[in-house]
Amino acid sequence: MPQSEPIASKPARVSPLAAAAASLILKLQRRDDISPEEEAAIHGMLGGIISVDQGQDIVAQGSRPTSSTLLVDGFAARYVLLKDGRRQITAVHVPGDFVDLHSFLLKTMDHGIVALSACRVAPAPHATLAEISREHPHLTRMFWLNTLIDGAIHREWLAGMGRRRSVSHMAHLICEIYTMLEILNLAPDFTFFFPITQRDLADMLGLSEVHTNRVLQELRDTNMVQWHGGIIRIFDWPGLQTLAEFDPTYLQMFREPR
Amino acid sequence: MPQSEPIASKPARVSPLAAAAASLILKLQRRDDISPEEEAAIHGMLGGIISVDQGQDIVAQGSRPTSSTLLVDGFAARYVLLKDGRRQITAVHVPGDFVDLHSFLLKTMDHGIVALSACRVAPAPHATLAEISREHPHLTRMFWLNTLIDGAIHREWLAGMGRRRSVSHMAHLICEIYTMLEILNLAPDFTFFFPITQRDLADMLGLSEVHTNRVLQELRDTNMVQWHGGIIRIFDWPGLQTLAEFDPTYLQMFREPR
DNA sequence: CGGCTCGTTGACAATAATCAAGCGAGGTGG
DNA sequence: CCACCTCGCTTGATTATTGTCAACGAGCCG
C-alpha cells in the first residue's frame, strides 16, 4: 500500500475534516447524547488537515503544543521514550481519536505520539478548547471522558503486562483494536488493516522483538487469528476474547447521562 | 502501629475534612492559581468522613458510585483484578488525592481502589461535581488535569514494567511516592511511612512476591535506600533518581495557566 | 546488482516464576 | 507464663519465560 494513501479511513464522500469530526461525534455518541450545538462546536474547532508520514512524530515528547490533535485517518501510538532509546508504546489510536487532548492541560508533553502508518490529523487550538470548556460544560465532560478512557486503556495494558501471559496480552491488544475499529465500521467480517512492524508490536507489549515474533507464532498456532502483511483476521472471536480475558467494560461503550 | 490511627496524615489542627480539602488545594496550587471561590467550592463539595480499614475496598471494581472520593489520610491503590484473582496495582495514592474522580464520568468502575493502610475518605457527590462543571470551568479543568496526571503516572508505570530493569522500576516507584509526599511535607529528611506488604509491592511491579523480595534486596545492596518496617529512608536521592531514570516532568508540578 | 528493512530461526544467557520450607514477630488461648 | 498460631519476610532449588547475539532469506528500491 503506497504511503501517500492513508489507510483505515472512512470513504471520503465528504471533506476529510468533516469526516473526522463525524468519527469523533460517532464515538462520543456511543457514550452519551451529543446536541446539535455540541456537534457544531466540534466542527468549528478544527483548523485544517496536516499529513504526517509513517514513523514521524505527531506530537513530540517534551514539546509544548498550542493545539490538540484529532486523528483523521491512519494509526497512531502514544509512547514514552527512555534516555537510551528504549520505547514503550502505551496506547494505540484509530481515526476519530482525539490523540492529544492531553496537551490542552498538561502543557508539556510527558510522552510522544507517533504515526504508525501515514496519517492525516486536524489541529484544534487550545484557545478554542478553553472556550468550549466555558461555553459547553457537557461537551467538556465528554472530552474529559475521552481522556479518562485513555487512562482505562493504560490500566488494562498494565494488567496485561504485569499479570497476563504474553499470548493473552497480545490477544488482548487485538481484541481492543478490533473493538475500536468495529465501531467505525472499519473491521467488516472481523478483518482489518493494522500495518505495524513487529518492532512496533514489541514496543506495545514490552517484549523484545525476537520474543514478540515467537509469541505471535504461538498465537497463530491457535488458529484463532491470522496476522500477515498488515492485515488481521479474527477467526474465533469468542475464543480470542477468552484467551485474552477481554472484558470491554473499560472502553465505556454504553450511553449514559454524563 | 494500631489500625485505628491512620498514618501519613497532616497534623490535625483543623477538622480532618478541612485538612483534606487543604491538601487537595495545595496540590492544585502546585499547578495553577486557585481562586477563593474555587477553594470555597472545594470545601463545599465534601460530604463527611468515612473510615476504611486496611485492605478494604474504597471503591469496588464494577461498582457504580454516586459520589467521588477524596483520600483524607492513609495510602490507597488503584488496581485491576483478573478473573483468577491475579491483581495488578496501577497507581498509588496519598492524602489529598481525589482517588475516584474517575467514577464521575466513567459511571461503571473498570478498576477498584483499595486502602493500603487504614484510611479516611471524604465523598463528593457527583451531582455537586456536575454543578461545579457548569459553574467553575477553570476548577473543572483543574480536576480534569488531576485525572490526566493519573494517566501520565500509568504511562510511566507502563514504561517501568515494559522497558526498565526491575531494580530501576522499583527505584522509580520509590522516587514517585517520595515526590508526592514531599509536596505535602510528609517526607522530612527523605524519610516517610509507606506501610505496605511485599505482596502489595509485587502487585505494583507486576512481579511475583518471591522475586520482589529479591529485587528489594538488590536495591538495598546499593545502599541508596532503606526500606524496613513500613518506613522508607532515601540515603542517596540523586543516585536513586539516576538508577530509576526518574524525570518528574510527568507529575506536572509547575504552575501554569491551565 | 547491492543495500536496505523486516521477519524468522538457533543457541545461549539472563530474568523471573514456582514450589517448598524455615524463621521471627506478634497475637491468642490455655 | 508459655504453647501455638498466623502472617510477612526470607531462602534454596528447580523450571519457565524472556532477552541477547548472530545469522539468513525474502522483498523492495535505487
Side-chain angles (χ1 to χ4, degrees):
Chain A
M1 182 154 305
Q3 202 166 286
S4 53
E5 264 191 43
I7 51 191
S9 58
K10 292 184 70 98
R13 285 180 212 95
V14 290
S15 84
L17 209 54
S23 289
L24 174 59
I25 291 164
L26 188 68
K27 225 166 286 197
L28 295 178
Q29 280 172 334
R30 204 55 199 241
R31 279 104 188 183
D32 195 4
D33 295 334
I34 301 298
S35 73
E37 293 75 26
E38 289 169 339
E39 288 198 28
I42 289 172
H43 281 283
M45 75 186 179
L46 298 174
I49 293 272
I50 299 167
S51 290
V52 183
D53 285 346
Q54 188 237 55
Q56 292 304 110
D57 267 348
I58 295 173
V59 185
Q61 181 166 331
S63 67
R64 295 179 58 85
T66 55
S67 57
S68 287
T69 310
L70 180 70
L71 183 58
V72 176
D73 47 31
F75 290 100
R78 201 172 287 283
Y79 68 90
V80 173
L81 208 59
L82 300 186
K83 289 189 192 83
D84 63 355
R86 281 169 299 170
R87 180 179 72 158
Q88 177 64 50
I89 292 177
T90 65
V92 170
H93 288 283
V94 303
D97 279 355
F98 216 150
V99 287
D100 86 323
L101 198 39
H102 305 70
S103 70
F104 171 42
L105 296 176
L106 291 180
K107 302 300 176 191
T108 299
M109 291 292 283
D110 62 292
H111 63 284
I113 295 164
V114 65
L116 290 175
S117 66
C119 287
R120 286 188 299 177
V121 301
H126 287 170
T128 310
L129 290 171
E131 200 183 308
I132 287 177
S133 84
R134 285 185 296 268
E135 306 296 328
H136 298 282
H138 176 257
L139 184 56
T140 303
R141 293 199 298 273
M142 292 308 288
F143 284 170
W144 183 357
L145 173 64
N146 232 319
T147 63
L148 288 174
I149 294 170
D150 286 339
I153 291 172
H154 291 335
R155 284 189 287 276
E156 207 57 47
W157 283 41
L158 277 164
M161 200 127 47
R163 292 292 180 237
R164 272 185 251 261
R165 290 181 315 121
S166 50
V167 208
S168 298
H169 188 191
M170 189 180 284
H172 196 278
L173 177 66
I174 294 173
C175 290
E176 181 177 295
I177 293 164
Y178 168 74
T179 305
M180 296 193 303
L181 291 176
E182 198 273 331
I183 302 178
L184 302 170
N185 301 313
L186 288 175
D189 301 321
F190 291 101
T191 304
F192 54 97
F193 284 109
F194 193 53
I196 62 166
T197 64
Q198 290 188 4
R199 160 157 292 281
D200 293 331
L201 182 57
D203 285 346
M204 291 172 195
L205 301 176
L207 298 174
S208 70
E209 197 178 342
V210 171
H211 195 62
T212 298
N213 178 278
R214 291 185 168 125
V215 173
L216 181 53
Q217 289 177 47
E218 194 183 337
L219 185 59
R220 282 171 180 151
D221 288 346
T222 65
N223 291 318
M224 292 194 283
V225 60
Q226 196 180 56
W227 186 335
H228 194 75
I231 295 173
I232 297 179
R233 186 183 298 257
I234 299 170
F235 295 121
D236 180 0
W237 176 234
L240 194 66
Q241 281 180 293
T242 304
L243 174 62
E245 305 177 71
F246 181 73
D247 171 358
T249 304
Y250 73 104
L251 294 172
Q252 295 284 324
M253 300 203 297
F254 18 76
R255 287 168 84 95
E256 306 224 25
R258 318 224 188 203
Chain B
M1 181 151 306
Q3 202 166 284
S4 53
E5 265 191 42
I7 51 190
S9 59
K10 294 184 69 100
R13 283 180 213 97
V14 289
S15 85
L17 210 54
S23 289
L24 174 58
I25 291 166
L26 188 69
K27 225 166 286 194
L28 295 177
Q29 280 173 335
R30 205 51 200 243
R31 279 104 187 184
D32 195 3
D33 295 335
I34 301 299
S35 73
E37 292 75 27
E38 290 169 341
E39 288 198 29
I42 289 172
H43 281 283
M45 76 185 179
L46 298 174
I49 293 270
I50 298 167
S51 289
V52 184
D53 285 346
Q54 189 235 56
Q56 292 304 110
D57 267 349
I58 295 172
V59 186
Q61 181 166 332
S63 67
R64 296 178 58 86
T66 56
S67 58
S68 287
T69 310
L70 179 69
L71 183 57
V72 175
D73 47 32
F75 290 100
R78 201 172 286 284
Y79 69 89
V80 174
L81 208 58
L82 299 187
K83 287 190 195 83
D84 63 354
R86 283 169 299 170
R87 180 179 71 158
Q88 177 65 49
I89 292 177
T90 65
V92 169
H93 288 285
V94 302
D97 279 356
F98 217 149
V99 288
D100 86 324
L101 199 39
H102 304 70
S103 70
F104 171 41
L105 296 176
L106 290 180
K107 302 302 174 191
T108 299
M109 290 291 285
D110 62 292
H111 64 285
I113 296 166
V114 65
L116 291 174
S117 65
C119 287
R120 286 187 299 177
V121 301
H126 288 169
T128 310
L129 289 170
E131 199 183 308
I132 287 177
S133 85
R134 285 186 295 269
E135 305 296 328
H136 298 282
H138 176 257
L139 184 56
T140 302
R141 293 199 298 273
M142 293 307 289
F143 284 168
W144 183 356
L145 172 64
N146 232 319
T147 63
L148 288 174
I149 294 170
D150 286 339
I153 291 171
H154 291 334
R155 285 189 286 276
E156 207 58 47
W157 283 40
L158 277 164
M161 201 130 42
R163 291 295 180 235
R164 273 185 250 261
R165 290 181 315 120
S166 49
V167 208
S168 298
H169 188 192
M170 190 180 284
H172 196 278
L173 177 66
I174 294 173
C175 289
E176 180 177 296
I177 293 165
Y178 169 73
T179 305
M180 297 195 300
L181 291 177
E182 198 274 330
I183 304 178
L184 303 170
N185 302 313
L186 289 175
D189 300 322
F190 292 101
T191 304
F192 54 97
F193 283 109
F194 193 51
I196 62 165
T197 66
Q198 290 188 6
R199 162 159 289 282
D200 293 332
L201 181 57
D203 285 345
M204 291 173 194
L205 300 176
L207 298 175
S208 70
E209 197 180 343
V210 170
H211 195 62
T212 299
N213 178 277
R214 292 182 169 128
V215 173
L216 180 53
Q217 290 177 48
E218 195 183 336
L219 185 59
R220 282 170 179 151
D221 288 346
T222 65
N223 291 317
M224 292 193 284
V225 62
Q226 198 181 55
W227 186 336
H228 194 74
I231 296 174
I232 298 180
R233 185 183 299 257
I234 299 171
F235 295 121
D236 180 359
W237 175 236
L240 194 67
Q241 281 179 292
T242 305
L243 172 62
E245 307 179 69
F246 180 73
D247 172 357
T249 304
Y250 73 104
L251 294 173
Q252 295 283 325
M253 300 205 295
F254 17 76
R255 286 167 84 95
E256 306 224 25
R258 319 224 187 203

